[in-house]
């Protein structure tokens, strides 16, 4: 018997299963005494919601609020400028993941740097950097590391392998961020503008891939301290719909707790080996600036002092001043869940995936990119 990849996900995209869950959600939601606003923290969930038209299948008293869980979207221009400056060094090959290469900073994007002669390379895995370093021994290879808890262990594994193989021409610009701190910020912020909206967050749909690494234990403070239930859900449409139903049932049964819908990969403790590898090389920064959210304490990693000889941030003279976003772009409000992409005056006109002004349109996980790509479905539900 040949097992194909589609065998692992087809049942989670089964239209009959999705419709059955929609029916159950609509029946259960009728019993609620107030609407529920669910923040899907991760951009992966946003794209599933938009791609499969899940908004149309939900009752009006269940609302999604898009969260800040896209590693490209939350990167401030200052950090992108760092990447640009590093890439423009004569003896440097700069490597990074995902859509980061297209995100504009104040000096341009990494794509612009490449057009000016910089050697910027996209890698599918941080471990690809090892091969590039071996093939270019006279160059300094700088890995511009991005992502949440999902990709942080891969950067730690890169460092581990480079040290074991005595490869000395790899350096790191670390931008790995963490989920619980930004969730806490969205609720705890005393900023009048932010607080006025985020009091509307009734529950969280927790990111599954992050939780595979961390375990569901990282969310336990939200039901106990903040009275917000969290359901860790997978990224397939059946996962999301079942996660929504689990949240509704918590409200109906007067429960507030962390639950795992994505039990096929997530448990309470997570991947302990990955967690140990992260703690071996990284420690928390005092502050890290998130695009649209400002500085959030202990929300990102940096290399430990014993590895500072590998830290590109310390080896190169990089600017420290903060940079404002484009005045017409409302990525900040979108990342805070305060606005929908369609509320932006430049959405789909001056800002498109081909010519993005903001990171939410650049990133394949960005909310603006999801609305732009699947906008026809959105118009139907409106």
């Amino acid at each position: 018997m040949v097992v194909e990849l589609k065998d692992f996900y087809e049942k989670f995209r089964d239209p009959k299963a999705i419709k059955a869950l929609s029916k159950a959600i609509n029946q259960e939601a009728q019993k609620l005494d107030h609407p529920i606003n669910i923040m899907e923290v991760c951009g992966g969930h946003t794209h599933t919601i938009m791609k499969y038209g899940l908004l149309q299948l939900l009752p009006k008293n269940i609302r999604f609020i898009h969260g800040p869980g896209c590693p490209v979207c939350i990167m401030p221009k200052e950090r992108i400028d760092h990447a640009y400056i590093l890439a423009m060094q004569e003896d440097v090959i700069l490597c990074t993941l995902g859509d980061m290469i297209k995100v504009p900073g104040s000096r341009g994007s990494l794509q612009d740097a490449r057009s000016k002669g910089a050697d910027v390379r996209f890698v599918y895995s941080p471990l690809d950097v090892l091969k590039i370093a071996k093939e270019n021994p006279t160059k300094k290879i700088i890995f511009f590391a991005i992502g949440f808890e999902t990709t942080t262990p891969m950067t730690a594994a890169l460092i581990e392998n480079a040290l074991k193989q005595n490869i000395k021409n790899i350096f790191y610009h670390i931008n790995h961020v963490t989920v619980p701190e930004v969730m806490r910020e969205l609720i705890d912020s005393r900023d009048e503008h932010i607080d006025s909206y985020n009091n509307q967050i009734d529950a969280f749909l927790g990111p599954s891939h992050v939780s595979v690494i961390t375990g569901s234990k990282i969310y336990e403070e939200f039901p106990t301290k903040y009275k917000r239930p969290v359901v860790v859900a997978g990224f397939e449409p059946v996962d999301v719909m079942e996660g929504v139903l689990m949240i509704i049932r918590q409200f109906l049964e007067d429960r507030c707790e962390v639950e795992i819908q994505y039990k096929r990969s997530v448990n309470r403790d997570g991947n302990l080996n990955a967690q140990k590898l992260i703690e071996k090389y990284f420690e928390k920064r005092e502050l890290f600036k998130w695009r649209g959210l400002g500085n959030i304490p202990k929300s990102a990693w940096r290399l430990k002092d014993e590895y500072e000889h590998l830290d590109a941030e310390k080896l190169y003279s990089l600017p420290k001043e903060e940079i404002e976003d484009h005045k017409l772009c409302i990525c900040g409000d979108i990342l805070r869940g305060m606005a929908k992409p369609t509320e932006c005056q430049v959405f789909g006109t001056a800002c498109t995936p081909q010519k993005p002004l903001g990171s939410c349109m650049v990133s394949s996980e960005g909310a603006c990119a999801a609305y732009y790509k699947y906008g026809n479905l959105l118009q139907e539900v409106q």
Side-chain angles (χ1 to χ4, degrees), residues 41-42 45 148-151 153 177-180 183 204-220 222 230-235 258-272 274-275:
V41 178
C42 182
H45 282 142
F148 287 84
E149 290 91 336
T150 316
T151 55
V177 291
T178 51
V179 165
M183 290 172 62
F204 288 102
L205 204 61
S208 54
H209 291 177
V210 162
S211 308
V212 170
I213 301 298
T214 65
S216 65
K217 62 182 181 293
I218 65 168
Y219 309 112
E220 290 175 350
F222 296 97
V230 179
V231 172
V232 179
F235 290 129
V258 175
E259 288 186 294
I260 303 171
Q261 180 277 332
Y262 195 61
K263 288 182 178 177
R264 56 191 186 275
S265 296
V266 174
N267 58 38
R268 181 182 181 278
D269 293 326
N271 186 327
L272 297 178
Q275 293 168 29

Side-chain angles (χ1 to χ4, degrees), residues 109-310:
S109 66
L110 287 174
Q111 199 165 252
D112 296 329
R114 187 154 63 180
S115 71
K116 294 176 182 176
D119 194 342
V120 178
R121 303 189 188 185
F122 166 83
V123 293
Y124 289 99
S125 163
L127 294 179
D128 294 342
V129 176
L130 291 171
K131 182 173 183 289
I132 295 171
K134 290 176 184 176
E135 292 174 347
N136 298 274
T138 62
K139 294 281 189 177
K140 293 176 181 174
I141 316 302
I142 298 179
F143 180 55
F144 189 75
I146 65 167
F148 287 84
E149 290 91 336
T150 316
T151 55
T152 311
M154 292 191 283
T155 301
L158 169 62
I159 298 170
E160 177 111 327
N161 277 275
L163 291 173
K164 284 183 177 177
Q165 296 178 38
N166 199 29
I167 298 173
K168 297 182 177 179
N169 61 331
I170 303 178
F171 303 90
Y172 308 88
H173 190 286
I174 303 298
N175 302 278
H176 287 300
V177 291
T178 51
V179 165
E181 288 74 15
V182 71
M183 290 172 62
R184 195 181 303 139
E185 174 73 12
L186 289 172
I187 299 174
D188 257 349
S189 173
R190 296 277 68 83
D191 181 293
E192 183 180 352
H193 187 48
I194 296 173
D195 192 51
S196 64
Y197 184 85
N198 286 293
N199 280 333
Q200 297 183 39
I201 299 173
D202 298 307
F204 288 102
L205 204 61
S208 54
H209 291 177
V210 162
S211 308
V212 170
I213 301 298
T214 65
S216 65
K217 62 182 181 293
I218 65 168
Y219 309 112
E220 290 175 350
E221 66 182 289
F222 296 97
T224 56
K225 182 178 179 181
Y226 298 106
K227 308 303 179 191
R228 264 78 165 189
V230 179
V231 172
V232 179
F235 290 129
E236 296 296 339
V238 166
D239 294 323
V240 173
M241 294 294 279
E242 187 175 14
V244 170
L245 184 58
M246 291 168 73
I247 288 172
I248 293 172
R249 286 177 173 166
Q250 285 204 35
F251 280 90
L252 291 176
E253 296 165 9
D254 199 24
R255 293 186 289 117
C256 186
E257 54 195 69
V258 175
E259 288 186 294
I260 303 171
Q261 180 277 332
Y262 195 61
K263 288 182 178 177
R264 56 191 186 275
S265 296
V266 174
N267 58 38
R268 181 182 181 278
D269 293 326
N271 186 327
L272 297 178
N273 289 331
Q275 293 168 29
K276 287 178 182 175
L277 197 60
I278 291 171
E279 291 168 2
K280 181 176 180 180
Y281 293 105
F282 301 129
E283 61 186 10
K284 284 294 185 72
R285 295 174 186 267
E286 286 302 312
L287 289 172
F288 187 84
K289 183 182 176 185
W290 291 56
R291 190 168 190 164
L293 290 166
N295 289 300
I296 303 178
K298 308 288 186 183
S299 65
W301 299 101
R302 71 175 181 86
L303 279 169
K304 288 184 173 179
D305 288 342
E306 61 193 283
Y307 303 108
E308 65 179 5
H309 61 290
L310 303 175

